Amino acid sequence: MRVYDIIYKKRNGGSLSKKEIEHMVFNYNNGAVPDYQASAFLMAVFLKGMDDEEIFNLTEAMINSGDVLDLSRFDLPSADKHSTGGVGDATSIIVAPVAASLGICVPMMVGRGLGHTGGTLDKLESIPGFRGNSDKSEFLGYLEYAGAAIIGQTAEIAPVDKKMYALRDAAACVESIPLICASIMSKKIAAGAKNLVLDVKTGSGAFMKNIGDSIELAKKMIAIGKKFNRNVSALITDMNEPLGSCAGNALELKQAIEILKGNLKNDLYELSAVLCAYMILKSGKAATLKEARAAADRQIDCGKALEKFRQIIKMQGGDPKVIDFPDKILPQAQKSVLVKALKTGYISSIDARSVGIASMMTGAGREKKEDPIDYSAGAVLYKKTGDYVKEGETVAELFYNCAAKIEEALTVMNGAYAISEQEPAKNELIKEILN
Ligand code: URA
């Protein structure tokens, strides 16, 4: 079997057999297929799609690129949550300690920034010393010690997703239902959690721009989960506007800490609490969704979730003082520029994708897979949809160290804010729930 023929067949719209998919995945994983052929394969899938059987076979081959964790030794209910990617989406950093503080095992395997969206791993690595790259035995050790760990794909668990994820990011092959489905479900199934809550974003800042595509993606992931005996729920949530008020690694981390301290009850808090409630309910730690939500709120208000996060940070080599002194411990950008309202009126929308792109231009994201990132860089939104502003009033601020693209970033940010005379209708954060 030749890799060239597999690419050729998919490029021409053919349906790949299980053996062909396994051949591609196995040989890319072991280094026999170079990045340029894997990129061509991914682009062919991006353009021609895959049927359900191909998606299942791709997911299975990606799972089989490494080990599947058996968490039964911990004798705890297990749950995880994963987002399809958004701007300002620091929910993972909030839900993992909340759920773990209730005695739920959370084996969270996350990714780096993808396209214009941020990645949980990059956000956590803004904490000096934090180790997001762990091996399997370390991961299991973490779970034994703290009941939760947040790490990147390892050489033993979903290793091929690590390679493909970085390649898709650089080769503009991200917004694809089969590739997103296989990427997410392979690492979530391999990491072993029995209960899974998927946050499927929809809107301008999401990889799925319309609700129909988001529902299709959600249904495919639920169906794959079922085949692997996982209990999956999916929430279709709004990503037309960034979540919270920050886009950028250290900035988002600091905001997540404020939420875990109970100091901030914004839309990021709300979504995190709802996602966590589903994790709690599915794990059998509450009898109803209402009770589960109350438990999530309580763990934040009483400080137990914050202490769990401190424990996770320390265990993974990070400086736990970040909890008490985030401004001292996290990297700070040397420069900033204000974004001003171009006219008077109500902010009618803030285009999430533009905010994500502007944040990348400040240095917070990568263009090539080996690019370094500036953890301190990004955007802070002082005004959000529905706020009334006067012309010239500050609506946001861009933080940076390298000025190379800052003028362009400012233009993109100005374009992100739409201002109108009429007060906009309220946008629903949660659009649909699929079980
Ligand atoms: N998150 C993932 O892990 N993979 C994707 O492809 C998109 C979001």
Side-chain angles (χ1 to χ4, degrees):
M1 196 178 292
R2 292 196 318 156
V3 165
Y4 178 95
D5 298 327
I6 298 172
I7 301 169
Y8 183 90
K9 184 170 174 188
K10 183 43 75 185
R11 187 203 71 183
N12 291 342
S15 195
L16 299 178
S17 69
K18 184 176 167 75
K19 284 219 154 42
E20 286 166 331
I21 290 172
E22 282 172 352
H23 185 82
M24 186 75 200
V25 170
F26 180 77
N27 286 296
Y28 181 51
N29 191 42
N30 71 17
V33 173
D35 273 355
Y36 57 82
Q37 278 190 312
S39 303
F41 170 75
L42 293 169
M43 186 56 87
V45 173
F46 182 96
L47 294 172
K48 299 295 177 178
M50 278 184 153
D51 61 33
D52 287 352
E53 197 180 333
E54 289 176 291
I55 299 176
F56 175 79
N57 289 334
L58 178 62
T59 310
E60 191 176 51
M62 289 173 72
I63 295 169
N64 292 338
S65 70
D67 299 340
V68 177
L69 290 190
D70 176 4
L71 306 178
S72 57
R73 71 178 82 174
F74 300 124
D75 204 20
L76 292 174
S78 57
D80 196 357
K81 104 73 230 183
H82 200 86
S83 153
T84 56
V87 180
D89 180 8
T91 50
S92 293
I93 295 170
I94 299 162
V95 303
V98 174
S101 73
L102 282 162
I104 298 169
C105 176
V106 186
M108 192 176 266
M109 192 167 274
V110 296
R112 299 196 179 281
L114 194 60
H116 62 279
T117 69
T120 304
L121 196 53
D122 293 328
K123 292 171 204 180
L124 287 167
E125 284 179 352
S126 67
I127 305 170
F130 190 91
R131 284 191 313 271
N133 284 326
S134 304
D135 62 21
K136 180 177 149 188
S137 71
E138 212 171 8
F139 191 37
L140 288 168
Y142 289 157
L143 293 173
E144 172 109 58
Y145 178 73
I150 312 176
I151 65 160
Q153 307 96 317
T154 78
E156 295 143 302
I157 311 163
V160 82
D161 180 57
K162 184 176 182 156
K163 294 180 78 176
M164 281 192 184
Y165 189 96
L167 205 55
R168 284 169 56 214
D169 188 30
C173 297
V174 174
E175 303 91 336
S176 150
I177 288 180
L179 297 178
I180 295 176
C181 188
S183 165
I184 292 180
M185 294 312 287
S186 63
K187 62 180 165 282
K188 295 288 126 177
I189 288 163
K194 284 275 172 268
N195 302 291
L196 182 56
V197 180
L198 298 170
D199 177 8
V200 181
K201 306 283 189 197
T202 193
S204 83
F207 297 131
M208 298 295 116
K209 307 292 178 207
N210 65 66
I211 192 140
D213 287 348
S214 303
I215 291 174
E216 187 185 337
L217 172 60
K219 283 185 173 163
K220 288 189 191 302
M221 291 196 286
I222 291 172
I224 288 194
K226 220 180 223 172
K227 288 194 176 163
F228 287 95
N229 204 18
R230 298 301 196 269
N231 178 3
V232 187
S233 293
L235 280 71
I236 313 289
T237 72
D238 184 70
M239 187 34 70
N240 284 299
E241 171 164 337
L243 271 173
S245 57
C246 302
N249 299 296
L251 295 167
E252 287 185 52
L253 190 96
K254 184 180 161 195
Q255 185 180 212
I257 290 172
E258 283 306 299
I259 288 177
L260 284 168
K261 283 181 175 169
N263 294 340
L264 191 59
K265 306 274 179 188
N266 59 5
D267 54 354
L268 176 58
Y269 171 87
E270 181 58 29
L271 182 59
S272 305
V274 172
L275 293 166
C276 209
Y278 277 90
M279 290 169 77
I280 295 165
L281 182 69
K282 292 171 94 66
S283 302
K285 289 279 177 183
T288 64
L289 188 61
K290 199 167 164 212
E291 273 180 40
R293 169 63 197 261
D297 291 334
R298 201 173 48 241
Q299 292 310 95
I300 291 181
D301 292 339
C302 74
K304 287 193 175 148
L306 185 72
E307 287 320 304
K308 181 54 77 177
F309 190 41
R310 192 193 298 273
Q311 186 189 30
I312 294 169
I313 293 171
K314 196 166 172 205
M315 169 183 80
Q316 295 193 225
D319 187 344
K321 289 197 292 302
V322 71
I323 299 280
D324 307 303
F325 310 106
D327 288 330
K328 267 200 195 149
I329 303 296
L330 293 172
Q332 305 287 318
Q334 296 303 307
K335 298 176 222 162
S336 76
V337 58
L338 299 175
V339 184
K340 308 269 178 133
L342 297 179
K343 61 181 188 181
T344 297
Y346 290 98
I347 297 174
S348 53
S349 64
I350 306 172
D351 182 65
R353 184 168 189 273
S354 300
V355 174
I357 289 172
S359 167
M360 285 182 76
M361 287 171 169
T362 62
R366 299 178 183 79
E367 278 183 20
K368 295 193 293 304
K369 64 179 184 158
E370 50 289 309
D371 281 350
I373 52 174
D374 180 349
Y375 291 111
S376 68
V380 174
L381 312 181
Y382 299 121
K383 301 285 180 191
K384 291 198 61 177
T385 298
D387 288 340
Y388 187 80
V389 290
K390 294 239 164 69
E391 185 181 335
E393 195 178 337
T394 299
V395 293
E397 188 166 4
L398 293 175
F399 291 87
Y400 63 99
N401 290 303
C402 168
K405 292 190 181 154
I406 212 66
E407 282 304 316
E408 213 182 326
L410 200 50
T411 307
V412 173
M413 277 301 279
N414 277 133
Y417 274 85
I419 298 176
S420 73
E421 281 173 12
Q422 268 125 38
E423 194 172 355
K426 204 160 162 36
N427 211 358
E428 289 299 324
L429 189 56
I430 296 164
K431 313 268 186 204
E432 294 226 14
I433 296 165
L434 305 167
N435 284 303

